[in-house]
Amino acid sequence: MSSDQKKRIAEIRAQALDLTDTIKTLSELGEFRVRFLGRKSELTSILRSLKDLPEEERREVGKAANTLYREIEEALDFREKSLESMPSELTLDVTRPGIRPRIGAAHPTTKILESFEEVFTSMGFEVVEGPEVETDYYNFEALNIPKGHPARDMWDTFYLESPEAIQDKAQSSELRAQGEKERLLLRTHTSPVQVRVMEQRKPPIRIIVPGRVYRHENEDATHSAMFYQVEGLLVDEGITFAHLKATLMYAFRLILGEDRIFRFRPSFFPFTEPSAEVDVRCEYCEGTGCETCRGKGWLELLGAGMVHPNVLKKVGYDPDTVSGFAFGAGPDRIAMKKYGFTDIRMLYKNDLRFLSQFI
Ligand code: PHE
């Protein structure tokens, strides 16, 4: 008799514990509880009949039955908790489609920067970065823009130290001049990285420098106080303006499109001579003038030129043996042209309604 009951307990155990995982709803769970633990369940009747068993058996069977009762209770409590925390549609209908996750995309400026990197690295250029907090020396002096030079007006600068603080620190006029060179500012262009790299290496040099730059300007649709630039620099023996022209035309046809038309206009930068600005013909009006190009027929792409001998001398190069070209382009503006939007500030507002269009 008792071995029969122990066998039954083992069978009930196998059946009940196997089944708890298949319970799908709370009402199923209730039925299950009644069936295995209820007043009319087999386990309850075994417990009830314990008193009729001889002492020895009563202890053994009683222990097994009580343990199983508690085990089933625990398994059901556990199942109940997991059912409660499960989203109901999953328990009701596993074939319903899931929630589509939002997929991110590269920022439009990043896309343009990546195409620069791809095109220029394929021509043997290396991608280099430099600090956004610069000194007066690298941002201006070494680029042939001495203190007090009117060309400094081309770059409205965020200074991180006041002139008074610099003066106070220095006791002698020599120290003061030194202090002024080290005055910290937010770089107004990526050109200081030209100097940093040339100081550390010997020609040949072929680099591009993507990065953020800062200008103390009022923001409007075409101006942002922080924006991006890509600097390019190539220095070697016998480099001429023809190399600059050929390199830029090749690169920009790849970046903007094979059939684009470019023009070089004479310009001025203190650190290049001769200097030029490069425009691309407006693709919307084909040069006749429209809203996008503000009636000009052309859109400005970049500033460029042959590295000024004074800049080469400052880094210890001999301008009679080596020469180079440099350019600085605005990837934000190029993104605006490529994707056809007219407010540069959209790039820095983190508005997903705008950004998610570039996926
Ligand atoms: N640094 C210049 C600017 O920000 C652009 C430039 C770079 C021009 C290199 C010539 C050569 O306006």
Side-chain angles (χ1 to χ4, degrees):
M1 180 68 169
S2 97
S3 66
D4 265 10
Q5 284 188 322
K6 276 207 289 199
K7 208 171 126 215
R8 271 314 289 155
I9 290 172
E11 279 165 10
I12 297 169
R13 186 172 191 281
Q15 204 188 355
L17 296 183
D18 260 7
L19 283 177
T20 46
D21 278 351
T22 67
I23 300 173
K24 288 202 181 57
T25 63
L26 290 173
S27 77
E28 261 180 62
L29 191 122
E31 286 164 22
F32 193 100
R33 202 184 285 278
V34 171
R35 177 169 153 209
F36 284 95
L37 306 176
R39 260 185 299 130
K40 290 182 189 152
S41 70
E42 196 176 353
L43 194 53
T44 307
S45 82
I46 291 175
L47 284 166
R48 236 185 248 137
S49 61
L50 281 178
K51 59 179 185 335
D52 306 328
L53 294 176
E55 165 98 43
E56 185 87 343
E57 282 175 34
R58 182 161 66 216
R59 201 173 301 142
E60 230 178 301
V61 176
K63 195 175 164 198
N66 273 312
T67 308
L68 177 58
Y69 197 95
R70 253 178 281 123
E71 260 185 301
I72 297 177
E73 259 185 336
E74 262 169 43
L76 288 179
D77 286 349
F78 183 80
R79 188 68 191 161
E80 187 168 2
K81 283 214 183 75
S82 60
L83 282 180
E84 278 167 354
S85 63
M86 239 183 246
S88 58
E89 67 255 53
L90 273 187
T91 56
L92 289 175
D93 183 359
V94 291
T95 65
R96 277 181 65 167
I99 298 160
R100 198 175 287 277
R102 194 190 263 276
I103 296 183
H107 188 276
T109 305
T110 306
K111 289 191 179 179
I112 301 292
L113 287 174
E114 280 171 354
S115 57
F116 266 92
E117 290 178 11
E118 198 182 307
V119 170
F120 279 94
T121 52
S122 79
M123 290 192 278
F125 283 70
E126 184 190 335
V127 181
V128 177
E129 288 183 31
E132 289 172 29
V133 172
E134 260 302 358
T135 61
D136 189 280
Y137 180 76
Y138 286 107
N139 198 76
F140 292 124
E141 283 267 345
L143 289 165
N144 201 30
I145 321 170
K147 194 174 170 351
H149 193 285
R152 287 208 179 196
D153 295 348
M154 289 168 79
W155 298 275
D156 301 296
T157 311
F158 284 113
Y159 287 93
L160 300 176
E161 294 172 306
S162 72
E164 294 77 28
I166 303 275
Q167 302 262 326
D168 289 351
K169 264 198 280 183
Q171 277 107 15
S172 68
S173 62
E174 212 171 273
L175 278 177
R176 199 169 305 141
Q178 184 63 28
E180 273 161 11
K181 281 188 187 174
E182 284 164 16
R183 187 177 176 192
L184 293 177
L185 47 81
L186 293 178
R187 69 177 178 195
T188 60
H189 49 180
T190 42
S191 301
V193 188
Q194 286 187 34
V195 181
R196 287 184 174 275
V197 170
M198 286 193 285
E199 270 182 349
Q200 274 166 20
R201 305 185 193 179
K202 291 272 155 276
I205 287 175
R206 262 178 266 152
I207 55 160
I208 60 161
V209 185
R212 293 190 190 93
V213 302
Y214 302 82
R215 295 206 188 155
H216 194 215
E217 275 175 5
N218 290 325
E219 302 205 326
D220 61 28
T222 53
H223 296 89
S224 166
M226 187 285 291
F227 57 99
Y228 276 81
Q229 281 196 336
V230 185
E231 193 84 7
L233 173 71
L234 186 147
V235 187
D236 205 346
E237 284 172 23
I239 298 302
T240 69
F241 201 89
H243 293 110
L244 168 63
K245 223 172 153 178
T247 307
L248 288 179
M249 303 275 276
Y250 173 79
F252 277 90
R253 289 213 164 108
L254 285 179
I255 294 168
L256 293 175
E258 207 39 58
D259 47 358
R260 306 307 298 278
I261 295 162
F262 302 91
R263 81 174 174 190
F264 284 64
R265 266 183 301 118
S267 185
F268 171 78
F269 298 102
F271 35 89
T272 47
E273 181 58 35
S275 303
E277 270 171 274
V278 182
D279 302 334
V280 59
R281 201 161 86 178
C282 178
E283 68 180 314
Y284 298 101
C285 62
E286 290 299 339
T288 55
C290 67
E291 216 173 286
T292 306
C293 59
R294 295 178 175 185
K296 288 191 221 138
W298 296 87
L299 295 155
E300 276 176 40
L301 265 190
L302 54 90
M306 301 307 291
V307 181
H308 198 290
N310 287 352
V311 177
L312 296 174
K313 278 188 224 155
K314 272 253 187 343
V315 296
Y317 291 1
D318 177 5
D320 292 330
T321 0
V322 292
S323 54
F325 68 72
F327 65 86
D332 301 304
R333 297 206 174 166
I334 296 173
M336 291 163 73
K337 276 152 221 169
K338 182 152 181 170
Y339 299 114
F341 59 95
T342 50
D343 194 332
I344 193 171
R345 292 168 295 187
M346 291 311 294
L347 290 170
Y348 301 109
K349 280 191 173 159
N350 288 337
D351 185 338
L352 283 179
R353 289 170 303 176
F354 171 75
L355 292 174
S356 61
Q357 297 176 82
F358 301 98
I359 288 175

